[in-house]
Amino acid sequence: MPVSKEILDEIALSPAEYQMIVDRLDREPNPVELGMFGALWSEHCGYKHSRPLLGMLPSTSARTLSQAGAENAGAIDIGDGLAVVFKVESHNHPSAVEPLQGAATGVGGIVRDILAMGARPIALLNSLRFGPPYQAANRRLLRGVVDGIGWYGNCIGVPDVAGEIFFDESYSQNPLVNAMCVGIAPIKDLASAAANTPGDVLLLVGAGTGRDGIHGASGLASRTFEEEQELRPTVQVANPFLEKVLIEACLEALGTGKVRALQDLGAAGLTSAAVESVARGERGFALDISLVHRREEGMTGYEVMLSESQERMLLVAAPEHVRDVSAVFEKWDVPCRAVGVVTEERVARVTEGSDPLAAAPVPHLADAPRYRLMGSPSPDHVARQHLQLSDVPLPPDVGLGNAGEVLLRLLASPNIASKRHVYRQYDHQVQTNTVVAPGAGDAAVLRVKGTGKAIAVAIDGNGRQCFLDPYQGAQRVVAEVTRNLSCVGAEPLALTDCLNFGNPERPDIYYQLEGCISGMADACRELGVPVVSGNVSLYNESQGAAIFPTPIVGGLGLVEDARKHCGAGFPAGGLAVVLVGAGKLSAGPHDLAGSEYLSVVHGLIRGRPQIDLALEQRVQELCRRLIADGVALSAHDCSDGGFAVALAESCILGDTRVGGAGPVGFTASAEFADSIPGRWDAALFGEAASRILVSVDPSNLAAMLSAAQEARIPACAVGETGGDLLIVGSLLGVAVADLADSWYRGLSDAWI
Amino acid sequence: MRFGILVFPGTWSDTDCHHAVCGVLGQRAGYVWHKDSDLAGYDAIIVPGGFSYGDYLRAGAIAKFSPVMSAVRDFAQSGGPVIGICNGFQILCEAGLLPGALRRNGHLEYRCQWTHLRAERADTIFTSRCDQRRPLAIPVSHGEGSYFAHPVTIAELEAEGRVLFRYCEPDGRVTDAANPNGSVANIAGIINESGNVLGMMPHPERSCELLLGSDDGNLIFGSMADAVAAATAGDLQADPVR
């Protein structure tokens, strides 16, 4: 073998894979070709370990317009001739190395995926994971990532409307930065990424190509790394202003009707953009890289082909249309260069002037090997799932009602605390569609101009519960994201996923990957939502330890009448509060499994979380109906921190209208308080799924309870809103102002 | 009437303003490209929010050299109404159409949140529909919105009644807590000496529909429309031919 192990390591190919390339080409690849294979066969681009498993996920419904993998993002028909396009993608490894630029370019990359569908980006979401914020290194990453997301999103004028942040030791030095973008376009204007017509011209538009980000896909995202400093040059640098101009120019160019296809340049840069476009169109290309505009002198062909310089797009246009398309970019002062042509022959041919640099069959480049491995749980997996209530001592009474002190602690835990300190740094209103803003509801609601409709979007994950039980944990994630959509009154239509895992070549990690995907697949079928786009980020490890298995799921929902939505805060005093999904608070060990309470108060990550998907489906359906009928005046699901935290949050939020009265108190009925079992900790803070706290006008209470009964949904009236205190029998008696203080300060205190 | 809405390459409130004045208020509007220098046919100019040319240097510092800003200067000098919103306010200050500057927010962070504004006067072309006793709910979204000027300038602005909007509590009290960015004297918006140029950091175009939380922004755009209509009616009456 003429190449060294070191060279193969640099591009993350195994010796066996190298041999596969030699066999396919029937010769040794030259360095440029090898670099192209390495990038395209990376986990990031080629999904070597994940694609065989991803086939389990349902990917179509009556509303799907494009399927996962077929185009850059999934597209969903929302009626009125409109499509919503959305996708989530990771930028974990670059953010670990350089948090501000890593997160910023993560946002930029996902925006271009949406743009490549011909859609205008209308919303951003993000899901973040960091190590505990009491460690300075983790705080640095947190601040850098938030700054990067804010800087980029604010500058390009796309509102950042929802997200989540979770802290755990397993993410120390390996933060997760998953960014989701949502776009909208008339269905007839959706663009394709398939270059299918020989003779068409390849136009490279946007930023000059530089040396930044070489090996981003193969080097950073496709292997574990210990010596992160040495990888600094592989992080890309962001220019959000250019992205904003690129969005406008590309959409205007598409509007001429003279662009055949377009594709973003992301991981593996020009190589993957060109190869993927012609692979979709079953063609080849001839590219002359001497025509590529550059920001640096003396770049080699290898560097030009593998650069991951940001803010670039590849357009495909018939020769007679090149002038008109170029004129649009000229107007916007964005460079636009013809760099190649689409060819009949399915070969990727790269030259520099007349010097040949690479020539490899497109099907070989685009067809990464796929590995189906055998997973097995780690030896301590079963022990972790074992939890008895006797392992968990009941917390002592310290005078706020037994549970008051625990509730204050949980509200101040950065995982549960208000994320206001973060989202107020993001413009969440630009484009004037934001009906339910971050913090006000379980999902964001955006009206769709020109229709009476609104869409809802949310993003969720729960690595801790997936760690304890990959299959059940992933089911609960799908349930939670759809429940969050239902809690604002939206019917869940489709999902996008980002699968963040450790090294899949380890059997215990592969077991997690397989279990999570199969759990997601079953939950998607049961709840009737397809996964229409996604991304996989593997090798998330540092210092030999993997992150929690963390599938992140983004959801899209539809509200038929934008006015019929709902927030999470109790909007007034004198309302009846109903717990939908449970006839009383249960207190079994599985309720505590993987809960925030168990982690914060007892330092335990144990148990086996459960979910009943059939009940989940019914609960969500009822919740949507109550909102559409105007019966539910607020809805908030019980998730992290359980019933008591959900109740406290609805009190703290209170009347969230602009200039509204804010917090409102609550008093549980004696009947409900008396029904709470002796293990009040498991009852109040357990995280049983499929439960939603709804407030209704007392005159609707009886009808609502019987509606629940008819739908075979357990439900119970828990009390009434009003006053300044949160009171649950003798267990809880705390001023809402004190709860609010803990909740609002939990994260901002961790900031400094 | 017809609003002219400036578009720099990094502007992002242009379409929001268009929706507010056309879609909601029912007026007409057109976009004016930053390389253009002809404002004929427009009755009022909106310099919208965004990042004009990226604002990597200082917000608005490059925009002031654009061809369209020369035209805006002439338009303002001849008495035409001009409203600069957010980045538009920054640009008007950089261009010398308004005094003072917008510094980085006092807490050094970007802020997107609802604010309440007290209209200090209801006798201007921007506030004739406002009621000084009822604060306007209008959101801010900026990283560099802390208004600053020399104390002498501030004293002049105050003395001449040119501080048009001040951040306040929902009940109208002007407090430190209501100040989202550390602006001197809670200043959210000021007008020029002739009263035809307004710069304000909050975004009235984001608060024109109750579905989005508030429709108070209409009061500002509506006041401008009233002023233009009144001026046009005045012109017609003065026209001897008619």
Side-chain angles (χ1 to χ4, degrees), chain A residues 103 107 110-111 121-128 145-164 178-182 419 422-431 434 436-439 444 446 457 459, chain B residues 110 112 141 206:
Chain A
V107 173
I110 194 64
V111 165
I122 60 164
L124 291 166
L125 297 86
N126 46 76
S127 172
L128 311 176
V145 165
V146 169
D147 282 352
I149 290 170
W151 172 52
Y152 208 95
N154 295 343
C155 189
I156 62 174
V158 180
D160 198 309
V161 297
E164 50 146 24
N178 289 186
M180 169 170 158
C181 185
V182 184
K419 306 301 182 285
V422 172
Y423 63 71
R424 70 183 176 185
Q425 299 183 51
Y426 303 152
D427 189 336
H428 46 260
Q429 294 177 318
V430 65
Q431 301 191 18
T434 310
V436 175
L446 303 163
V457 285
I459 191 163
Chain B
Y110 196 96
C112 177
S141 184
R206 296 186 180 186

Side-chain angles (χ1 to χ4, degrees), chain A residues 342-512:
Chain A
V342 178
T343 58
E344 181 87 48
E345 182 196 27
R346 299 183 69 185
V347 171
R349 206 173 287 284
V350 183
T351 59
E352 182 155 23
S354 55
D355 297 341
L357 286 183
V362 171
H364 292 171
L365 282 164
D367 183 25
R370 293 171 190 190
Y371 302 115
R372 190 80 164 86
L373 306 179
M374 284 297 289
S376 63
S378 72
D380 48 355
H381 188 70
V382 174
R384 274 199 301 266
Q385 291 184 331
H386 188 74
L387 176 71
Q388 292 176 305
L389 287 178
S390 55
D391 301 338
V392 184
L394 202 58
D397 182 356
V398 290
L400 290 161
N402 291 356
E405 174 67 17
V406 176
L407 179 57
L408 288 169
R409 263 181 86 183
L410 285 181
L411 288 170
S413 159
N415 288 340
I416 285 178
S418 166
K419 306 301 182 285
R420 183 176 67 177
H421 190 74
V422 172
Y423 63 71
R424 70 183 176 185
Q425 299 183 51
Y426 303 152
D427 189 336
H428 46 260
Q429 294 177 318
V430 65
Q431 301 191 18
T432 61
N433 297 320
T434 310
V435 175
V436 175
D442 285 6
V445 176
L446 303 163
R447 60 97 177 263
V448 180
K449 287 196 185 101
T451 74
K453 296 175 179 173
I455 59 165
V457 285
I459 191 163
D460 281 291
N462 193 326
R464 195 157 61 199
Q465 294 187 350
C466 290
F467 172 70
L468 291 171
D469 189 322
Y471 180 79
Q472 295 275 351
Q475 290 201 332
R476 288 172 59 108
V477 172
V478 171
E480 176 161 3
V481 73
T482 52
R483 193 186 316 131
N484 283 334
L485 296 173
S486 294
C487 281
V488 296
E491 184 195 352
L493 298 185
L495 307 177
T496 179
D497 68 332
C498 188
L499 303 173
N500 305 276
F501 287 79
N503 177 356
E505 295 159 56
R506 280 174 41 186
D508 56 325
I509 304 295
Y510 196 80
Y511 170 84
Q512 294 174 341

Side-chain angles (χ1 to χ4, degrees), chain A residues 88-106:
Chain A
V88 60
E89 196 165 71
S90 65
H91 229 215
N92 304 338
H93 297 97
S95 303
V97 177
E98 211 297 296
L100 189 144
Q101 294 292 344
T105 53

Side-chain angles (χ1 to χ4, degrees), chain B residues 1 13 20 26 60 114 142 157 201 224 238:
Chain B
M1 75 166 289
S13 280
W114 283 95
H142 58 246
L157 288 172
M201 287 313 295
M224 292 175 74

Side-chain angles (χ1 to χ4, degrees), chain A residues 24-44:
Chain A
R24 287 187 184 187
L25 292 179
D26 204 19
R27 63 178 167 83
E28 302 285 343
N30 68 34
V32 176
E33 291 165 344
L34 185 59
M36 290 169 69
F37 271 102
L40 288 165
W41 286 17
S42 67
E43 193 62 46
H44 195 85

Side-chain angles (χ1 to χ4, degrees), chain A residues 1-128:
Chain A
M1 194 171 70
V3 295
S4 67
K5 177 90 171 59
E6 286 70 33
I7 286 178
L8 288 180
D9 272 354
E10 193 170 305
I11 54 173
L13 286 177
S14 70
E17 286 166 343
Y18 181 80
Q19 192 53 50
M20 210 181 291
I21 294 167
V22 174
D23 292 345
R24 287 187 184 187
L25 292 179
D26 204 19
R27 63 178 167 83
E28 302 285 343
N30 68 34
V32 176
E33 291 165 344
L34 185 59
M36 290 169 69
F37 271 102
L40 288 165
W41 286 17
S42 67
E43 193 62 46
H44 195 85
C45 296
Y47 298 95
K48 280 187 285 208
H49 293 94
S50 51
R51 194 170 303 249
L53 298 175
L54 294 173
M56 283 193 269
L57 297 169
S59 61
T60 56
S61 76
R63 289 182 182 268
T64 46
L65 296 164
S66 76
Q67 287 181 40
E71 292 287 352
N72 283 294
I76 294 295
D77 185 345
I78 60 160
D80 296 305
L82 294 173
V84 170
V85 175
F86 69 119
K87 186 181 180 184
V88 60
E89 196 165 71
S90 65
H91 229 215
N92 304 338
H93 297 97
S95 303
V97 177
E98 211 297 296
L100 189 144
Q101 294 292 344
T105 53
V107 173
I110 194 64
V111 165
R112 287 191 300 281
D113 272 318
I114 298 310
L115 182 59
M117 297 291 292
R120 173 170 288 279
I122 60 164
L124 291 166
L125 297 86
N126 46 76
S127 172
L128 311 176

